[in-house]
Amino acid sequence: MAFAGLETRNVSALAVRKDETLWVLAVGGAIFMIGVIQGAYWNHRRFWLNREKGAVLLAAHTNKNWYGLKRELEWVLSASGMPALVDRKERKNPQQAHTA
């Protein structure tokens, strides 16, 4: 078996095109990384104050380091002259939740 005739051409199967969507992917990646950094490294803290029947109710939430949050709230309340915090989750008697 032999080739009867073989002609070569200057042809490549590669096509080079300009991608117009790379900036969209870069912006999306930047937004994603900002969210990852915010969720993983920054503490999120929320405080709620409610005045009800002459009493002030304080609630707080954090996504991490709630020991630090509790310590800071105790420091603020001691400096303001308000009574110390009572954590409802740490109470042993559930009836105490209604007396505070």
Side-chain angles (χ1 to χ4, degrees):
M1 179 184 272
F3 288 110
L6 182 64
E7 295 180 23
T8 59
R9 297 181 194 173
N10 296 329
V11 176
S12 173
L14 298 176
V16 178
R17 294 184 184 158
K18 185 178 178 184
D19 191 0
E20 300 285 340
T21 60
L22 286 179
W23 69 272
V24 175
L25 295 174
V27 169
I31 292 170
F32 174 76
M33 287 308 298
I34 290 170
V36 167
I37 291 168
Q38 181 180 3
Y41 297 112
W42 293 346
N43 293 333
H44 304 286
R45 293 182 174 184
R46 295 183 190 111
F47 299 97
W48 295 276
L49 287 172
N50 188 15
R51 182 176 287 180
E52 193 173 285
K53 297 179 184 176
V56 177
L57 301 176
L58 171 68
H61 171 75
T62 183
N63 66 334
K64 53 180 85 167
N65 192 15
W66 66 276
Y67 291 109
L69 174 69
K70 187 175 176 183
R71 188 175 59 243
E72 289 176 8
L73 284 175
E74 288 172 355
W75 178 76
V76 168
L77 292 177
S78 68
S80 67
M82 294 182 73
L85 292 175
V86 178
D87 191 354
R88 291 182 180 182
K89 288 189 175 183
E90 292 180 357
R91 289 185 184 159
K92 294 185 180 187
N93 185 358
Q95 293 298 327
Q96 289 178 340
H98 301 293
T99 61

